[in-house]
Protein backbone atom coordinates (compact mmCIF):
# COMPACT_ATOMS: atom_id res chain seq x y z
CA UNK A 1 0.00 0.00 0.00
CA UNK A 2 1.37 3.44 -0.82
CA UNK A 3 0.85 6.46 1.34
CA UNK A 4 0.30 8.84 -1.57
CA UNK A 5 -3.49 8.77 -1.26
CA UNK A 6 -3.54 9.84 2.37
CA UNK A 7 -5.25 12.91 3.73
CA UNK A 8 -3.53 15.50 5.91
CA UNK A 9 -4.86 17.11 9.02
CA UNK A 10 -3.76 20.70 9.70
CA UNK A 11 -0.67 20.07 7.58
CA UNK A 12 0.18 17.01 9.65
CA UNK A 13 -0.36 13.29 9.34
CA UNK A 14 -3.95 12.36 10.20
CA UNK A 15 -5.06 9.30 12.13
CA UNK A 16 -6.66 8.03 8.93
CA UNK A 17 -3.40 8.39 7.02
CA UNK A 18 -1.58 6.38 9.67
CA UNK A 19 -4.23 3.68 9.69
CA UNK A 20 -4.08 3.47 5.90
CA UNK A 21 -0.30 3.11 6.07
CA UNK A 22 -0.32 0.46 8.81
CA UNK A 23 -3.36 -1.42 7.50
CA UNK A 24 -5.29 -1.54 10.78
CA UNK A 25 -7.09 0.73 13.23
CA UNK A 26 -5.46 2.03 16.40
CA UNK A 27 -6.75 1.24 19.89
CA UNK A 28 -5.81 1.00 23.53
CA UNK A 29 -6.52 -2.37 25.13
CA UNK A 30 -6.43 -1.84 28.88
CA UNK A 31 -5.82 -5.08 30.79
CA UNK A 32 -6.89 -4.84 34.43
CA UNK A 33 -6.75 -7.64 37.00
CA UNK A 34 -5.16 -8.89 40.19
CA UNK A 35 -1.44 -9.41 40.70
CA UNK A 36 -0.62 -12.82 39.24
CA UNK A 37 -3.72 -12.88 37.02
CA UNK A 38 -1.51 -13.09 33.93
CA UNK A 39 -2.06 -9.59 32.51
CA UNK A 40 1.49 -8.94 31.34
CA UNK A 41 2.09 -12.45 30.01
CA UNK A 42 -1.20 -12.29 28.13
CA UNK A 43 -0.51 -8.78 26.80
CA UNK A 44 2.88 -9.92 25.45
CA UNK A 45 1.37 -12.96 23.77
CA UNK A 46 -1.36 -10.85 22.14
CA UNK A 47 1.37 -8.41 21.02
CA UNK A 48 3.24 -11.32 19.43
CA UNK A 49 0.15 -12.71 17.70
CA UNK A 50 -0.64 -9.24 16.37
CA UNK A 51 2.89 -8.57 15.11
CA UNK A 52 2.74 -11.95 13.35
CA UNK A 53 -0.27 -10.46 11.55
CA UNK A 54 1.85 -7.41 10.70
CA UNK A 55 0.03 -5.21 13.22
CA UNK A 56 1.95 -2.41 14.95
CA UNK A 57 1.22 -3.63 18.51
CA UNK A 58 3.04 -2.53 21.67
CA UNK A 59 2.86 -3.46 25.36
CA UNK A 60 3.05 -0.97 28.21
CA UNK A 61 3.53 -2.61 31.60
CA UNK A 62 5.49 -2.26 34.81
CA UNK A 63 8.61 -3.64 33.11
CA UNK A 64 9.03 -0.81 30.64
CA UNK A 65 7.33 2.00 32.57
CA UNK A 66 8.25 1.68 36.24
CA UNK A 67 12.02 1.82 35.58
CA UNK A 68 11.81 4.64 33.08
CA UNK A 69 8.98 7.14 32.74
CA UNK A 70 7.59 6.45 36.21
CA UNK A 71 10.87 5.74 38.01
CA UNK A 72 10.18 8.81 40.17
CA UNK A 73 6.91 7.35 41.51
CA UNK A 74 6.50 5.23 44.63
CA UNK A 75 3.50 3.20 45.72
CA UNK A 76 1.46 5.69 47.77
CA UNK A 77 -2.18 6.08 46.68
CA UNK A 78 -1.30 9.39 44.96
CA UNK A 79 1.70 7.85 43.19
CA UNK A 80 -0.39 4.91 41.99
CA UNK A 81 -2.99 7.28 40.60
CA UNK A 82 -0.30 9.33 38.83
CA UNK A 83 1.23 6.08 37.51
CA UNK A 84 -2.06 5.17 35.84
CA UNK A 85 -2.63 8.72 34.58
CA UNK A 86 0.77 8.86 32.87
CA UNK A 87 0.40 5.40 31.38
CA UNK A 88 -2.95 6.49 29.97
CA UNK A 89 -1.35 9.56 28.40
CA UNK A 90 1.50 7.55 26.88
CA UNK A 91 -1.04 5.05 25.54
CA UNK A 92 -2.86 7.99 23.92
CA UNK A 93 0.33 9.11 22.16
CA UNK A 94 0.97 5.56 20.93
CA UNK A 95 -2.63 5.26 19.68
CA UNK A 96 -2.17 8.63 17.98
CA UNK A 97 0.89 7.14 16.27
CA UNK A 98 -1.37 4.37 14.91
CA UNK A 99 -0.47 1.51 17.27
CA UNK A 100 -2.61 -1.03 19.06
CA UNK A 101 -1.42 -0.57 22.62
CA UNK A 102 -1.75 -3.26 25.30
CA UNK A 103 -1.54 -1.62 28.73
CA UNK A 104 -1.25 -4.17 31.54
CA UNK A 105 -1.65 -2.71 35.03
CA UNK A 106 -3.57 -3.88 38.11
CA UNK A 107 -5.43 -0.52 38.05
CA UNK A 108 -7.84 -1.64 40.81
CA UNK A 109 -10.08 1.45 40.92
CA UNK A 110 -13.07 2.03 38.65
CA UNK A 111 -12.55 5.80 38.89
CA UNK A 112 -8.92 5.69 37.68
CA UNK A 113 -9.83 3.47 34.73
CA UNK A 114 -12.80 5.69 33.86
CA UNK A 115 -10.53 8.74 33.91
CA UNK A 116 -8.21 7.09 31.41
CA UNK A 117 -11.11 5.99 29.19
CA UNK A 118 -12.41 9.58 29.05
CA UNK A 119 -9.12 10.69 27.47
CA UNK A 120 -9.69 8.47 24.42
CA UNK A 121 -11.92 8.92 21.41
CA UNK A 122 -15.11 6.89 21.78
CA UNK A 123 -14.57 3.30 20.72
CA UNK A 124 -10.77 3.36 20.87
CA UNK A 125 -10.45 2.34 24.55
CA UNK A 126 -11.12 -1.34 25.14
CA UNK A 127 -11.24 -2.62 28.71
CA UNK A 128 -10.04 -6.21 29.15
CA UNK A 129 -10.77 -7.75 32.53
CA UNK A 130 -8.25 -10.50 33.24
CA UNK A 131 -10.63 -12.20 35.64
CA UNK A 132 -8.44 -14.98 37.02
CA UNK A 133 -9.86 -15.69 40.53
CA UNK A 134 -7.75 -14.62 43.48
CA UNK A 135 -7.37 -18.26 44.66
CA UNK A 136 -5.62 -19.08 41.39
CA UNK A 137 -3.52 -15.87 41.46
CA UNK A 138 -2.41 -16.68 45.01
CA UNK A 139 -1.67 -20.30 44.07
CA UNK A 140 0.60 -19.11 41.22
CA UNK A 141 2.14 -16.24 43.21
CA UNK A 142 4.92 -15.80 40.61
CA UNK A 143 6.74 -13.07 42.53
CA UNK A 144 5.97 -14.35 46.06
CA UNK A 145 3.97 -11.21 46.71
CA UNK A 146 0.84 -12.89 48.12
CA UNK A 147 2.98 -14.84 50.59
CA UNK A 148 4.65 -11.62 51.72
CA UNK A 149 1.31 -9.81 51.89
CA UNK A 150 -0.23 -12.60 53.99
CA UNK A 151 2.79 -12.34 56.29
CA UNK A 152 2.03 -8.63 56.70
CA UNK A 153 5.15 -7.49 54.83
CA UNK A 154 3.25 -5.64 52.08
CA UNK A 155 0.48 -3.38 53.35
CA UNK A 156 -2.45 -2.37 51.14
CA UNK A 157 -1.99 -5.35 48.81
CA UNK A 158 -4.76 -5.50 46.21
CA UNK A 159 -7.13 -8.39 46.89
CA UNK A 160 -5.79 -8.97 50.44
CA UNK A 161 -6.19 -5.75 52.37
CA UNK A 162 -6.92 -3.29 49.58
CA UNK A 163 -9.90 -3.51 47.23
CA UNK A 164 -9.96 -4.64 43.63
CA UNK A 165 -12.93 -3.08 41.89
CA UNK A 166 -13.72 -5.43 39.01
CA UNK A 167 -15.12 -3.80 35.85
CA UNK A 168 -18.90 -4.24 35.66
CA UNK A 169 -19.08 -4.39 31.87
CA UNK A 170 -15.65 -4.66 30.24
CA UNK A 171 -15.49 -5.04 26.48
CA UNK A 172 -13.62 -8.35 26.99
CA UNK A 173 -13.35 -10.71 29.93
CA UNK A 174 -10.73 -13.49 30.06
CA UNK A 175 -10.04 -16.03 32.78
CA UNK A 176 -6.59 -17.55 32.30
CA UNK A 177 -7.31 -20.50 34.62
CA UNK A 178 -6.98 -23.81 32.79
CA UNK A 179 -6.79 -22.23 29.34
CA UNK A 180 -3.68 -22.19 27.18
CA UNK A 181 -2.02 -18.78 26.91
CA UNK A 182 -2.24 -18.85 23.11
CA UNK A 183 -5.97 -19.55 23.30
CA UNK A 184 -6.56 -16.67 25.72
CA UNK A 185 -4.58 -14.38 23.43
CA UNK A 186 -6.49 -15.64 20.40
CA UNK A 187 -9.80 -14.68 22.09
CA UNK A 188 -8.61 -11.07 22.29
CA UNK A 189 -7.29 -11.06 18.73
CA UNK A 190 -10.61 -12.54 17.54
CA UNK A 191 -12.45 -9.72 19.33
CA UNK A 192 -10.26 -7.16 17.51
CA UNK A 193 -11.02 -8.78 14.17
CA UNK A 194 -14.77 -8.98 14.94
CA UNK A 195 -14.81 -5.30 15.98
CA UNK A 196 -13.02 -4.28 12.77
CA UNK A 197 -9.74 -3.07 14.29
CA UNK A 198 -7.68 -5.72 12.54
CA UNK A 199 -8.34 -7.51 9.26
CA UNK A 200 -9.24 -11.21 9.19
CA UNK A 201 -6.45 -13.48 7.97
CA UNK A 202 -6.52 -13.75 4.18
CA UNK B 1 6.94 -8.55 3.88
CA UNK B 2 5.64 -11.25 6.22
CA UNK B 3 6.47 -11.36 9.89
CA UNK B 4 6.84 -15.14 10.06
CA UNK B 5 10.63 -15.03 9.82
CA UNK B 6 11.09 -12.76 12.81
CA UNK B 7 13.09 -13.60 15.89
CA UNK B 8 11.70 -13.33 19.41
CA UNK B 9 13.42 -11.83 22.40
CA UNK B 10 12.55 -13.38 25.77
CA UNK B 11 9.26 -14.57 24.30
CA UNK B 12 8.49 -11.04 23.20
CA UNK B 13 8.79 -9.08 20.01
CA UNK B 14 12.39 -7.99 19.45
CA UNK B 15 13.53 -4.66 18.04
CA UNK B 16 14.78 -6.53 14.99
CA UNK B 17 11.37 -8.14 14.45
CA UNK B 18 9.71 -4.74 14.57
CA UNK B 19 12.24 -3.21 12.19
CA UNK B 20 11.73 -6.11 9.78
CA UNK B 21 7.97 -5.59 9.94
CA UNK B 22 8.12 -1.81 9.46
CA UNK B 23 10.91 -1.86 6.90
CA UNK B 24 13.12 0.73 8.58
CA UNK B 25 15.25 1.26 11.68
CA UNK B 26 13.97 3.09 14.76
CA UNK B 27 15.53 6.29 16.09
CA UNK B 28 14.93 9.39 18.15
CA UNK B 29 15.62 12.65 16.36
CA UNK B 30 15.91 15.32 19.00
CA UNK B 31 15.31 18.82 17.60
CA UNK B 32 16.71 21.54 19.86
CA UNK B 33 16.68 25.26 19.19
CA UNK B 34 15.32 28.65 20.22
CA UNK B 35 11.65 29.53 20.45
CA UNK B 36 10.53 30.45 16.93
CA UNK B 37 13.42 28.59 15.28
CA UNK B 38 10.95 26.33 13.46
CA UNK B 39 11.52 23.07 15.38
CA UNK B 40 7.91 21.91 15.52
CA UNK B 41 7.04 22.98 11.99
CA UNK B 42 10.14 21.25 10.69
CA UNK B 43 9.48 18.10 12.76
CA UNK B 44 5.96 17.86 11.35
CA UNK B 45 7.16 18.28 7.79
CA UNK B 46 9.82 15.59 8.27
CA UNK B 47 7.12 13.35 9.79
CA UNK B 48 4.98 13.92 6.71
CA UNK B 49 7.83 13.23 4.28
CA UNK B 50 8.66 10.05 6.18
CA UNK B 51 5.06 8.80 6.29
CA UNK B 52 4.90 9.42 2.52
CA UNK B 53 7.81 6.95 2.36
CA UNK B 54 5.78 4.51 4.49
CA UNK B 55 7.89 5.13 7.58
CA UNK B 56 6.28 4.94 11.03
CA UNK B 57 7.26 8.46 12.11
CA UNK B 58 5.80 10.40 15.03
CA UNK B 59 6.27 13.90 16.47
CA UNK B 60 6.46 14.68 20.17
CA UNK B 61 6.21 18.39 20.93
CA UNK B 62 4.58 20.82 23.30
CA UNK B 63 1.25 20.46 21.49
CA UNK B 64 0.74 16.80 22.31
CA UNK B 65 2.73 16.58 25.54
CA UNK B 66 2.14 19.76 27.54
CA UNK B 67 -1.66 19.32 27.62
CA UNK B 68 -1.55 15.59 28.38
CA UNK B 69 1.35 13.71 29.90
CA UNK B 70 3.01 16.82 31.29
CA UNK B 71 -0.12 18.83 32.10
CA UNK B 72 0.91 18.69 35.77
CA UNK B 73 4.22 20.48 35.10
CA UNK B 74 4.82 24.21 35.21
CA UNK B 75 7.81 26.18 33.98
CA UNK B 76 10.14 26.21 36.98
CA UNK B 77 13.68 24.94 36.32
CA UNK B 78 12.79 21.62 38.02
CA UNK B 79 9.56 21.28 36.02
CA UNK B 80 11.40 22.00 32.76
CA UNK B 81 13.98 19.34 33.58
CA UNK B 82 11.22 16.83 34.40
CA UNK B 83 9.43 17.79 31.18
CA UNK B 84 12.51 16.87 29.14
CA UNK B 85 13.12 13.70 31.17
CA UNK B 86 9.59 12.40 30.59
CA UNK B 87 9.66 13.27 26.89
CA UNK B 88 12.93 11.34 26.62
CA UNK B 89 11.33 8.32 28.28
CA UNK B 90 8.26 8.43 26.03
CA UNK B 91 10.56 8.76 23.02
CA UNK B 92 12.36 5.62 24.24
CA UNK B 93 9.08 3.69 24.36
CA UNK B 94 8.16 4.86 20.86
CA UNK B 95 11.61 3.89 19.55
CA UNK B 96 11.17 0.53 21.27
CA UNK B 97 7.89 0.20 19.34
CA UNK B 98 9.89 0.67 16.12
CA UNK B 99 9.07 4.30 15.33
CA UNK B 100 11.24 7.17 14.15
CA UNK B 101 10.41 9.80 16.76
CA UNK B 102 10.85 13.53 16.17
CA UNK B 103 11.03 15.28 19.55
CA UNK B 104 10.88 19.07 19.21
CA UNK B 105 11.67 20.99 22.42
CA UNK B 106 13.80 24.06 23.12
CA UNK B 107 15.80 21.91 25.61
CA UNK B 108 18.39 24.67 26.14
CA UNK B 109 20.78 22.80 28.45
CA UNK B 110 23.57 20.50 27.29
CA UNK B 111 23.25 18.45 30.48
CA UNK B 112 19.52 17.71 30.02
CA UNK B 113 20.06 16.66 26.41
CA UNK B 114 23.04 14.49 27.39
CA UNK B 115 20.93 12.81 30.07
CA UNK B 116 18.30 11.90 27.47
CA UNK B 117 20.94 10.66 25.00
CA UNK B 118 22.38 8.33 27.65
CA UNK B 119 19.03 6.56 27.92
CA UNK B 120 19.22 5.43 24.28
CA UNK B 121 21.18 2.65 22.64
CA UNK B 122 24.29 4.01 20.95
CA UNK B 123 23.50 5.34 17.50
CA UNK B 124 19.73 5.62 18.00
CA UNK B 125 19.73 9.19 19.39
CA UNK B 126 20.25 11.83 16.74
CA UNK B 127 20.63 15.45 17.83
CA UNK B 128 19.31 18.02 15.35
CA UNK B 129 20.27 21.61 16.04
CA UNK B 130 17.70 23.93 14.51
CA UNK B 131 20.19 26.75 14.37
CA UNK B 132 18.02 29.63 13.16
CA UNK B 133 19.71 32.80 14.55
CA UNK B 134 17.94 34.61 17.35
CA UNK B 135 17.50 37.75 15.21
CA UNK B 136 15.43 35.71 12.75
CA UNK B 137 13.48 33.93 15.56
CA UNK B 138 12.67 37.31 17.12
CA UNK B 139 11.68 38.78 13.75
CA UNK B 140 9.22 35.88 13.22
CA UNK B 141 8.00 35.82 16.84
CA UNK B 142 5.00 33.60 15.88
CA UNK B 143 3.51 33.58 19.38
CA UNK B 144 4.54 37.13 20.38
CA UNK B 145 6.74 35.68 23.11
CA UNK B 146 9.90 37.66 22.30
CA UNK B 147 7.91 40.90 22.41
CA UNK B 148 6.52 39.96 25.82
CA UNK B 149 9.94 38.83 27.04
CA UNK B 150 11.54 42.13 25.93
CA UNK B 151 8.75 43.95 27.79
CA UNK B 152 9.72 42.04 30.92
CA UNK B 153 6.50 39.99 31.02
CA UNK B 154 8.22 36.59 30.68
CA UNK B 155 11.20 36.13 32.97
CA UNK B 156 13.94 33.60 32.18
CA UNK B 157 13.15 33.57 28.48
CA UNK B 158 15.63 31.44 26.55
CA UNK B 159 17.92 33.61 24.43
CA UNK B 160 16.89 36.86 26.16
CA UNK B 161 17.63 36.47 29.88
CA UNK B 162 18.20 32.71 30.11
CA UNK B 163 20.95 30.85 28.26
CA UNK B 164 20.60 28.63 25.21
CA UNK B 165 23.49 26.17 25.16
CA UNK B 166 23.91 25.24 21.50
CA UNK B 167 25.08 21.68 20.77
CA UNK B 168 28.80 21.62 19.97
CA UNK B 169 28.62 18.67 17.58
CA UNK B 170 25.05 17.70 16.71
CA UNK B 171 24.55 14.93 14.18
CA UNK B 172 22.58 17.41 12.02
CA UNK B 173 22.46 21.20 11.91
CA UNK B 174 19.74 23.08 10.01
CA UNK B 175 19.18 26.82 9.65
CA UNK B 176 15.63 27.49 8.47
CA UNK B 177 16.41 31.09 7.43
CA UNK B 178 15.77 31.63 3.74
CA UNK B 179 15.35 27.93 2.96
CA UNK B 180 12.05 26.32 1.98
CA UNK B 181 10.55 24.12 4.71
CA UNK B 182 10.41 21.13 2.36
CA UNK B 183 14.10 21.54 1.58
CA UNK B 184 15.05 21.72 5.27
CA UNK B 185 12.98 18.59 5.93
CA UNK B 186 14.54 16.84 2.94
CA UNK B 187 18.03 17.48 4.41
CA UNK B 188 17.04 15.52 7.50
CA UNK B 189 15.40 12.72 5.52
CA UNK B 190 18.53 12.51 3.33
CA UNK B 191 20.65 12.16 6.48
CA UNK B 192 18.44 9.27 7.65
CA UNK B 193 18.82 7.54 4.28
CA UNK B 194 22.59 8.10 4.24
CA UNK B 195 22.91 6.72 7.79
CA UNK B 196 20.87 3.64 6.85
CA UNK B 197 17.81 4.27 9.03
CA UNK B 198 15.48 4.54 6.05
CA UNK B 199 15.77 2.98 2.61
CA UNK B 200 16.48 5.10 -0.45
CA UNK B 201 13.52 5.64 -2.75
CA UNK B 202 13.23 2.81 -5.28
Amino acid sequence: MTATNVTWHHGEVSREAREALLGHRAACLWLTGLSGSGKSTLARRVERQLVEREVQAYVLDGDNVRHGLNADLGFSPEAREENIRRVGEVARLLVDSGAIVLAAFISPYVADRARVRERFEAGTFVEVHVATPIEECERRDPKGLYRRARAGDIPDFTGIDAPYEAPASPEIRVDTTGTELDDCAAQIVAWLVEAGFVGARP
Side-chain angles (χ1 to χ4, degrees), chain A residues 22-182:
Chain A
L22 292 169
H24 59 81
R25 284 167 57 203
C28 173
L29 273 70
W30 190 275
L31 284 71
T32 171
L34 294 165
S35 178
S37 61
K39 295 179 297 301
S40 252
T41 309
L42 179 57
R44 291 191 179 272
R45 188 55 60 91
V46 173
E47 177 189 45
R48 177 173 166 163
Q49 289 187 4
L50 287 173
V51 172
E52 285 173 342
R53 287 170 173 253
E54 307 192 16
V55 168
Q56 171 69 353
Y58 190 70
V59 170
L60 291 175
D61 66 4
D63 278 355
N64 59 13
V65 166
R66 270 284 181 187
H67 301 290
L69 178 67
N70 292 351
D72 57 320
L73 297 176
F75 291 89
S76 70
E78 296 73 26
R80 286 172 188 274
E81 189 180 322
E82 173 66 3
N83 183 48
I84 295 305
R85 186 192 74 82
R86 285 191 206 165
V87 169
E89 293 298 334
V90 173
R92 271 186 78 208
L93 293 168
L94 279 154
V95 167
D96 193 43
S97 85
I100 291 187
V101 181
L102 297 136
F105 296 85
I106 298 174
S107 49
Y109 298 112
V110 167
D112 289 349
R113 298 193 304 265
R115 214 171 287 126
V116 173
R117 182 190 288 266
E118 278 167 17
R119 296 286 290 156
F120 284 82
E121 258 179 64
T124 63
F125 182 87
V126 178
E127 198 168 26
V128 181
H129 182 202
V130 184
T132 313
I134 190 162
E135 296 73 22
E136 172 67 10
C137 297
E138 191 161 0
R139 193 191 62 70
R140 295 176 186 172
D141 204 10
K143 298 175 191 164
L145 296 174
Y146 283 93
R147 193 176 43 72
R148 288 175 55 203
R150 292 286 184 198
D153 292 342
I154 309 177
D156 302 322
F157 192 82
T158 299
I160 305 290
D161 52 0
Y164 175 76
E165 299 174 359
S169 49
E171 278 82 355
I172 307 175
R173 184 170 275 132
V174 182
D175 179 349
T176 65
T177 318
T179 306
E180 290 291 332
L181 181 59
D182 267 325

